[in-house]
């Protein structure tokens, strides 16, 4: 009798284990929309979203943006083409935009209220869900490289301020003099914003003054799919002009400014950081693909055109899924953006209706 009972219990355990196994593999199957069969790859970048209108742009500035976006994306593309990893591609691509004064990241970072430059960056590996980020760093030429080092060389995900720089020193990063980040254009923007702020306090302009609203845009970001099917995302920014109290935006927040998951997609955000944090933009796009089984474009549209504006925020994202489908979605008049696929087709756009 006892042995029959043991046998029955044994069968029961075996049966339930099988069920657990089945249900786990079902969950995994559910996030597989289609198998990636060939070695397709692709890369998408942004250089910030905002009130970017043709009437505010000169031909030479437009050309300068076009050629820098082209230089950045072709650099990442050739790494992917040679079989390099998506992490290598996005880091090299972002470095080019960080080194350009055209963008609000690295050289060209906007000024804080105290007339300093405090930079944020993050990176995520879709293969392992590993991530690294830094916030409020002042002496790191390429903050995305430090974010990568936090991911690879520390047990942490997000380091900030003086501690992040101490870690950088230990990792043999060169300390850059803060004067490197000075650009006259960004300094003058701060002076204008401060003046507007004073006028706002005396109720001379409305809270919705577009100049004040847009003084926060210009971040850079990159997402890529490599030949091994690995996705990665990275974002780097100076944050918003006139920020104070060590304000940290969405760019170094994994799930808000940056997210990558090989089962779904890789996303990099740009826009009004406070809203992107509250809406958990990058992760929400991935989660909607996973749970609702909708496409990347549908998920990106829902988050950027409905969820973020419903809170009062604006901005955009670039994203790529595990099959190489891309999204460049924004709810502002413009977003600096570019895409290159495995065939080498290159798209570079600035304004909404292009
Ligand atoms: N999201 C960035 C921040 O809020 C700004 C931007 O993307 O332009 O810090």
């Amino acid at each position: 009798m006892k042995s029959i009972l043991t046998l029955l219990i044994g069968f029961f355990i075996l049966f339930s284990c099988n069920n657990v196994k089945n249900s786990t593999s079902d969950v995994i199957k559910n996030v597989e929309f289609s198998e990636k069969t060939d070695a397709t790859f692709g890369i998408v970048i942004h250089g910030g979203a905002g009130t970017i209108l043709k009437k505010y742009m000169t031909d030479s500035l437009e050309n300068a943006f076009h050629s820098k976006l082209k230089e950045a994306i072709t650099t990442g593309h050739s790494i992917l083409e040679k079989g390099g990893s998506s992490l290598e591609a996005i880091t090299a691509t972002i470095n080019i935009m960080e080194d350009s004064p055209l963008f609000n990241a690295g050289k060209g970072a906007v000024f804080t209220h105290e007339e300093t430059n405090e930079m944020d960056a993050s990176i995520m590996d879709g293969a392992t869900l590993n991530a690294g980020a830094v916030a409020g760093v002042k002496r790191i030429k390429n903050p995305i490289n430090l974010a990568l080092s936090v991911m690879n060389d520390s047990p942490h995900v997000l380091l900030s301020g003086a501690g992040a720089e101490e870690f950088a020193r230990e990792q043999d990063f060169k300390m850059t003099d803060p004067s490197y980040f000075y650009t006259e254009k960004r300094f003058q923007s701060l002076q204008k914003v401060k003046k507007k702020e004073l006028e706002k306090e005396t109720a001379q302009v409305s809270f919705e003054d577009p100049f004040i609203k847009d003084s926060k845009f210009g971040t850079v970001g990159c997402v890529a799919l490599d030949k091994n099917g690995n996705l990665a995302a990275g974002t780097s920014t100076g944050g918003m002009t006139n920020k104070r109290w060590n304000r940290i935006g969405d760019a170094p927040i994994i799930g808000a400014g940056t997210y990558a998951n090989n089962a779904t997609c890789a996303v990099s955000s740009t826009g009004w950081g406070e809203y992107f944090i509250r809406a958990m933009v990058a992760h929400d796009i991935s989660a909607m693909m996973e749970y609702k089984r909708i496409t990347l474009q549908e998920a990106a549209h829902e988050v950027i055109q409905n969820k973020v504006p419903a809170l009062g925020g604006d901005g955009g994202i670039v994203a790529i899924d595990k099959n190489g489908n891309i999204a460049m979605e924004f709810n502002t008049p413009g977003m600096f953006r570019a895409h290159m696929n495995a065939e080498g087709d290159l798209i570079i756009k600035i304004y909404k209706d292009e």
Side-chain angles (χ1 to χ4, degrees):
M1 182 62 194
K2 206 175 156 201
S3 58
I4 293 175
L5 201 67
T6 317
L7 208 67
L8 278 174
I9 292 171
F11 270 127
F12 178 75
I13 292 172
L14 204 70
F15 180 73
S16 5
C17 281
N18 259 342
N19 259 358
V20 170
K21 203 167 152 244
N22 278 342
S23 60
T24 311
S25 56
D26 279 345
V27 171
I28 292 167
K29 228 184 276 157
N30 284 348
V31 296
E32 302 283 337
F33 298 108
S34 61
E35 282 304 317
K36 185 173 172 290
T37 47
D38 51 0
T40 191
F41 65 94
I43 181 163
V44 197
I45 61 174
H46 70 73
T51 310
I52 307 160
L53 294 166
K54 206 169 170 62
K55 64 177 180 195
Y56 298 146
M57 195 76 83
T58 61
D59 285 349
S60 70
L61 194 56
E62 207 176 82
N63 288 339
F65 273 111
H66 265 266
S67 67
K68 197 44 84 177
L69 289 167
K70 186 174 176 185
E71 182 191 340
I73 201 159
T74 51
T75 299
H77 187 270
S78 73
I79 291 172
L80 296 170
E81 197 166 42
K82 290 186 196 117
S85 74
S86 49
L87 281 170
E88 285 169 322
I90 63 166
T91 309
T93 302
I94 289 176
N95 282 171
I96 289 173
M97 293 190 282
E98 284 177 331
D99 291 346
S100 164
L102 289 172
F103 303 101
N104 172 18
K107 177 85 185 167
V110 298
F111 281 85
T112 66
H113 188 74
E114 294 77 24
E115 305 190 345
T116 60
N117 309 95
E118 291 179 2
M119 289 152 287
D120 305 332
S122 65
I123 195 161
M124 186 160 183
D125 177 6
T128 57
L129 301 190
N130 208 350
V134 291
V137 292
K138 296 178 179 173
R139 296 163 62 84
I140 305 297
K141 184 170 173 273
N142 295 107
I144 197 72
N145 298 3
L146 186 56
L148 182 68
S149 181
V150 170
M151 177 172 99
N152 290 334
D153 309 315
S154 90
H156 305 298
V157 170
L158 173 58
L159 299 181
S160 71
E165 289 179 3
E166 192 184 322
F167 170 76
R169 260 185 224 104
E170 284 176 21
Q171 296 300 318
D172 292 331
F173 273 75
K174 193 176 150 278
M175 291 297 121
T176 301
D177 192 273
S179 62
Y180 164 79
F181 299 103
Y182 183 93
T183 54
E184 187 60 21
K185 187 178 144 242
R186 296 298 191 190
F187 188 72
Q188 289 312 326
S189 296
L190 174 69
Q191 305 313 320
K192 277 191 210 152
V193 172
K194 280 186 168 176
K195 196 165 161 260
K196 292 273 177 190
E197 200 179 47
L198 267 179
E199 289 166 4
K200 191 172 79 180
E201 272 163 23
T202 51
Q204 287 172 32
V205 296
S206 92
F207 282 84
E208 287 306 297
D209 184 297
F211 188 81
I212 289 178
K213 268 181 75 185
D214 264 10
S215 59
K216 59 182 76 61
F217 297 113
T219 297
V220 306
C222 180
V223 294
L225 168 70
D226 66 28
K227 287 184 175 176
N228 291 320
N230 288 325
L231 291 165
T235 310
S236 183
T237 189
M240 62 185 279
T241 304
N242 202 29
K243 65 183 181 182
R244 60 176 101 171
W245 307 305
N246 297 122
R247 178 263 187 191
I248 294 168
D250 60 317
I253 308 298
I254 297 300
T258 300
Y259 193 73
N261 183 340
N262 273 9
T264 52
C265 62
V267 183
S268 170
S269 310
T270 175
W272 200 333
E274 278 68 12
Y275 294 92
F276 278 61
I277 294 174
R278 289 167 55 200
M280 271 286 124
V281 164
H283 182 262
D284 196 24
I285 292 172
S286 167
M288 284 210 286
M289 290 177 71
E290 187 172 344
Y291 305 151
K292 291 181 89 178
R293 302 174 74 183
I294 58 177
T295 65
L296 173 63
Q297 184 52 51
E298 287 165 341
H301 184 273
E302 173 62 17
V303 174
I304 296 301
Q305 306 302 348
N306 298 331
K307 292 187 173 188
V308 171
L311 294 176
D314 55 6
I317 58 95
V318 293
I320 187 164
D321 76 10
K322 64 199 192 70
N323 298 311
N325 300 308
I326 66 139
M328 302 193 286
E329 193 73 33
F330 55 101
N331 57 31
T332 49
M335 180 169 80
F336 297 105
R337 59 202 187 277
H339 165 232
M340 227 172 151
N341 62 15
E343 288 71 45
D345 305 321
L346 171 65
I347 291 168
I348 302 178
K349 289 183 178 181
I350 299 178
Y351 315 106
K352 196 175 190 156
D353 302 314
E354 261 189 271

